[in-house]
Amino acid sequence: MSDIDQNTPADLREETADAAPEVASNDRVAELENQLAEAKQNVLYAQAEIQNVRRRAEKEAQDARAYAATAFARDVLSVADNLSRGLSAIPADLRADDKMKGLVTGLEATGRELESVFQRHGITKIAAEGQMLDPNKHQAMLEMPSDQPPGTIVQEMQAGYMIKDRLLRPAMVGVAKAG
């Protein structure tokens, strides 16, 4: 066999490229076009990645602003609970007493202001009593005999709250027992 028979087409092309500069030029153009296409594709991927990173950063910043007060809000809920328990513990005869009216009125006004502050910051009370148990919003503490359908909330032991669209604290409830 001769040397020509053993050469691959690529080898032949290289050997003849010296004699035909237009072949070498054509190969170089094809190589540069491939590199350009690859570079364009890499730029598109990089732009897409930058856009994804920007969207994620905007979402995280938006969530941080919306939910930054979550821990503080949870702590303030115990204050609201204690205020509510204190107001409900005042007997009717003391509420009617002229000496206590100012105190009761002040405590009730404080409770209303606290609710107003909650609303301004997107903190809302979860509806519980009479609703069907929703494990995403309610925490069943006990089952009770009732004429309500099983799974219906018949008692609320502690109010639950949402902050915007997230659960801040589940409502602790008693549900109707089956049969």
Side-chain angles (χ1 to χ4, degrees):
M1 284 193 149
S2 70
D3 285 341
I4 296 177
D5 290 341
Q6 295 175 352
N7 287 341
T8 65
D11 293 337
L12 286 174
R13 188 172 183 88
E14 273 187 43
E15 287 176 15
T16 59
D18 292 335
E22 66 278 353
V23 172
S25 174
N26 221 9
D27 287 351
R28 182 71 180 140
V29 168
E31 181 184 335
L32 290 174
E33 284 175 347
N34 286 340
Q35 288 176 356
L36 178 61
E38 187 178 322
K40 282 181 178 178
Q41 193 65 35
N42 288 340
V43 167
L44 288 175
Y45 286 141
Q47 286 174 336
E49 182 62 23
I50 288 169
Q51 198 170 31
N52 288 340
V53 167
R54 183 180 301 127
R55 280 191 201 122
R56 271 195 305 270
E58 286 172 3
K59 173 87 170 93
E60 288 172 5
Q62 189 177 35
D63 284 352
R65 282 189 299 275
Y67 303 108
T70 299
F72 178 72
R74 273 195 194 101
D75 291 342
V76 173
L77 290 180
S78 66
V79 173
D81 291 340
N82 288 332
L83 181 62
S84 178
R85 279 192 284 272
L87 278 168
S88 64
I90 299 172
D93 59 327
L94 281 179
R95 285 178 181 266
D97 187 349
D98 286 340
K99 293 178 188 172
M100 297 298 287
K101 271 189 180 176
L103 176 64
V104 171
T105 302
L107 290 174
E108 288 171 342
T110 302
R112 284 190 302 274
E113 180 62 23
L114 192 54
E115 286 177 24
S116 172
V117 168
F118 283 172
Q119 285 178 351
R120 278 196 306 270
H121 293 279
I123 299 169
T124 55
K125 197 177 232 183
I126 296 172
E129 210 159 320
Q131 304 286 317
M132 289 303 289
L133 180 71
D134 178 353
N136 298 313
K137 296 180 179 180
H138 308 117
Q139 184 174 348
M141 302 304 290
L142 55 97
E143 287 186 313
M144 306 169 68
S146 171
D147 56 350
Q148 298 287 325
T152 302
I153 297 170
V154 293
Q155 181 184 6
E156 181 180 67
M157 291 152 213
Q158 185 180 52
Y161 290 88
M162 301 285 290
I163 183 166
K164 306 218 186 305
D165 61 343
R166 290 188 184 171
L167 183 66
L168 187 57
R169 179 179 79 187
M172 294 187 184
V173 298
V175 294
K177 187 181 342 185

